[in-house]
Amino acid sequence: MTLKSRLILPVLFIFSTFTIASAQNKLTTGVWRGVLKTQSGNQLPFNFEVTTVAGHPQLAIINGAEHYKVPDVKITGDSVFIKMPLFDSEFRLKLDGENLTGNWIRHLGDHDTQMPFAATPNTSWRFLRDPQTPAFDVTGRWAAVFGEGTDGRDELVGEFKQTGTRLTGTFLSTTGDYRYLEGSVSGDKLYLSCFDGCHAFLFIANIKDGKTLTEGTMNSGLTGTDKWTAVKDANAKLPDAYSLTALKPGYKKIAFSFPNINGRKVSLSDPRFKNKVVIVQILGSWCPNCMDETNFIINSGYYKKYHQKGVEVVGLAYERTTDFKKSQKTVAQLKDHFKVPYPLLITGYTPSKGDPMKSLPALADFKGFPTTIIIDKKGNVRKIHTGFNGPGTGEHYTEFVVEFDKLTEDLLAEKG
């Protein structure tokens, strides 16, 4: 064998080994089952689908009717990095054969949290491979109570649809819904979960008689826990969303001046808002219900339809940090994801209790995110809407869209 041959063979061997390893380090296409592990040891499952687009892997996280696309997936050797499109969170994983193991990491204002994660390909079931025949059908509306005692109780409305053992639905609260939940009914047990890059929810309850849910537990993220019960009630409903937040007595207007993501100050007194109907979104890039509201404004056609008729929209962002550069990054991510055409302002305040009221002193109170302030052509606050029930709530979302369109039309018809 010549010297040249002796040099070429090792190179070919290394190249072929690298090629084989690279070929092996791919995500199996199809439906996977992922499981997050809470601090208490409970397993929070969800499904996602892996596809290949232009030679690159992409995910779609499955929660009921929602398939949430996650295009930012990178594979380096046996490491897999998945960056969620919103909410500043990511997965850092290792390929173990065809399986994945690692952590889901949330980047908060001043620290990170992480949950152990594992996923298995070719697995379309969520909670149980072979659920028992359901003892009851829980389809319908439920009056739910979360928490215990008189001070720690929250009244919510559950909306469920059961088809065989498959269960979908959501919970509605005064500050928004729990988005798309999916799970199973097995025997006399109810299971629901959701994961969207921010929300990581797990609900379990006993079905007592088809009309009562007992011994309910809820896990939220790594450490959040709560207890809940519910009774079937076709008339269960929440308070009017326009009745929960108000201005202080004697106030008719609000005022603000905050920088946009480029650092330029934007004020409600700017000429662009004069003699216009103005929709003020109080939001955060960390808030899934805020994202649903933003999606409604942009992708339902609301902004395109009404902006040309005299409606302006402005978003006030309350991020988890007061650091402008960190907030700039997360708000820019939100703006780019939804292609937001209107100003998003960085308030410099956080979502902590009391901060929104400090930044907008005319507010008498503040219940939660999102909150939407509707201002008429004269600059007077006409309505304040607390929370947002998104498309996962079905008819509730449809009713809101009709109602909000009518309110907008009525205000546009008024003289400035």
Side-chain angles (χ1 to χ4, degrees):
M1 184 181 292
T2 66
L3 175 62
K4 183 177 181 182
S5 300
R6 286 197 296 268
L7 291 173
I8 291 173
L9 284 175
V11 172
L12 289 174
F13 175 77
I14 293 169
F15 178 78
S16 61
T17 302
F18 175 79
T19 303
I20 292 169
S22 300
Q24 289 174 340
N25 292 341
K26 292 183 178 180
L27 295 180
T28 303
T29 57
V31 177
W32 290 57
R33 180 177 185 260
V35 176
L36 292 164
K37 190 175 181 180
T38 71
Q39 193 174 65
S40 59
N42 289 329
Q43 293 192 343
L44 193 162
F46 64 93
N47 298 103
F48 59 92
E49 184 176 15
V50 175
T51 57
T52 302
V53 179
H56 299 285
Q58 292 191 6
L59 306 186
I61 295 175
I62 303 168
N63 293 296
E66 181 182 58
H67 285 221
Y68 182 46
K69 292 183 179 180
V70 183
D72 193 347
V73 180
K74 292 182 174 62
I75 302 176
T76 304
D78 63 352
S79 298
V80 180
F81 303 97
I82 302 169
K83 187 173 178 59
M84 300 302 295
L86 296 167
F87 314 126
D88 203 13
S89 75
E90 62 179 317
F91 289 88
R92 295 178 186 172
L93 308 170
K94 290 285 186 183
L95 271 167
D96 181 9
E98 288 191 322
N99 300 329
L100 288 169
T101 58
N103 293 287
W104 171 51
I105 301 166
R106 296 182 69 193
H107 303 293
L108 304 178
D110 56 359
H111 68 284
D112 293 345
T113 64
Q114 62 182 30
M115 292 182 71
F117 175 79
T120 306
N122 303 314
T123 310
S124 59
W125 55 274
R126 197 175 185 98
F127 280 94
L128 302 163
R129 185 191 302 271
D130 298 305
Q132 300 176 21
T133 301
F136 306 100
D137 189 331
V138 299
T139 298
R141 185 174 298 183
W142 295 74
V145 176
F146 282 66
E148 298 179 296
T150 55
D151 294 332
R153 290 161 58 92
D154 290 317
E155 296 182 358
L156 285 73
V157 175
E159 292 272 4
F160 306 139
K161 182 178 180 181
Q162 181 179 338
T163 305
T165 61
R166 185 172 184 264
L167 183 64
T168 56
T170 194
F171 289 97
L172 292 79
S173 75
T174 54
T175 56
D177 64 280
Y178 284 46
R179 306 194 79 253
Y180 296 89
L181 304 179
E182 182 177 350
S184 304
V185 174
S186 178
D188 60 357
K189 285 272 192 180
L190 171 153
Y191 303 89
L192 286 166
S193 65
C194 169
F195 176 78
D196 58 17
C198 178
H199 283 158
F201 291 144
L202 170 66
F203 301 89
I204 300 175
N206 293 330
I207 310 169
K208 185 178 178 181
D209 53 13
K211 297 180 180 179
T212 310
L213 302 178
T214 64
E215 300 179 56
T217 59
M218 172 191 174
N219 288 95
S220 176
L222 179 65
T223 60
T225 61
D226 210 347
K227 295 182 178 180
W228 63 283
T229 60
V231 293
K232 206 165 192 178
D233 182 355
N235 298 314
K237 64 179 182 179
L238 297 171
D240 181 3
Y242 290 102
S243 70
L244 300 173
T245 308
L247 299 184
K248 293 175 181 175
Y251 283 82
K252 292 183 178 180
K253 302 177 186 291
I254 62 168
F256 58 77
S257 180
F258 300 120
N260 63 16
I261 59 175
N262 297 317
R264 186 177 65 81
K265 285 288 184 73
V266 175
S267 170
L268 198 54
S269 60
D270 290 348
R272 71 178 294 161
F273 301 116
K274 188 176 181 180
N275 297 323
K276 300 287 184 67
V277 173
V278 182
I279 309 298
V280 179
Q281 283 183 278
I282 298 178
L283 53 80
S285 65
W286 47 268
C287 165
N289 293 129
C290 302
M291 301 306 98
D292 281 340
E293 182 183 53
T294 303
N295 188 59
F296 154 70
I297 291 173
I298 297 169
N299 293 324
S300 74
Y302 177 87
Y303 184 81
K304 183 177 181 180
K305 177 180 179 180
Y306 289 113
H307 179 61
Q308 61 187 0
K309 294 183 179 182
V311 171
E312 290 287 348
V313 181
V314 58
L316 308 184
Y318 293 77
E319 297 302 286
R320 286 195 166 112
T321 174
T322 57
D323 185 293
F324 180 83
K325 287 189 176 180
K326 288 183 179 179
S327 298
Q328 185 183 43
K329 177 183 175 183
T330 54
V331 175
Q333 186 180 34
L334 160 63
K335 186 176 181 69
D336 291 343
H337 180 78
F338 288 106
K339 296 180 173 55
V340 178
Y342 50 83
L344 293 177
L345 312 185
I346 299 171
T347 64
Y349 291 83
T350 72
S352 299
K353 187 175 181 180
D355 263 18
M357 292 169 63
K358 291 177 186 175
S359 64
L360 298 171
L363 287 179
D365 54 9
F366 185 81
K367 302 297 184 185
F369 292 82
T371 292
T372 309
I373 301 174
I374 300 97
I375 299 172
D376 66 19
K377 293 179 181 179
K378 295 180 180 179
N380 295 324
V381 173
R382 296 292 290 272
K383 296 271 190 179
I384 302 179
H385 187 280
T386 300
F388 187 81
N389 290 316
T393 67
E395 66 181 42
H396 299 278
Y397 173 72
T398 303
E399 290 170 0
F400 166 80
V401 172
V402 172
E403 178 186 67
F404 202 71
D405 279 359
K406 184 179 185 309
L407 173 60
T408 303
E409 296 280 4
D410 290 347
L411 292 176
L412 285 172
E414 295 179 355
K415 294 183 178 181

